[in-house]
Amino acid sequence: PVREVPTPCRPGAATNIIFGLALGYKSVVLPVFILAGIIFGSHRLAGMYGISLAALGMLATLATCLTIDVYGPVCDNAGGIAE
């Protein structure tokens, strides 16, 4: 996909942005179908309770992701100060 980028981006910045978004959306197709399958399977096995458990499982990673996002700039600043 990287070699395809320069050709549509020649006309201007707007086509560059649109093509970049399209490439980003392509990378999300498989995970979306996997999540949809998991939610469908949990609904078939346990009804709405299964959907709530699947949602809770997806939210379980939230604390880790937020910690990485919050402390990343702090560590970068500490590294800059240490240098």
Side-chain angles (χ1 to χ4, degrees), residues 8-83:
C9 296
R10 285 196 180 116
T15 56
N16 191 5
I17 293 170
I18 292 170
F19 194 75
L21 283 172
L23 283 179
Y25 291 151
K26 274 186 181 178
S27 66
V28 178
V29 170
L30 183 63
V32 166
F33 281 121
I34 290 172
L35 284 174
I38 289 170
I39 291 171
F40 179 74
S42 63
H43 180 63
R44 294 291 266 162
L45 290 175
M48 290 302 288
Y49 182 68
I51 291 177
S52 66
L53 288 179
L56 188 63
M58 286 185 249
L59 287 175
T61 62
L62 184 66
T64 304
C65 294
L66 284 176
T67 303
I68 291 170
D69 288 343
V70 169
Y71 287 110
V74 173
C75 293
D76 289 342
N77 288 341
I81 293 170
E83 288 177 358

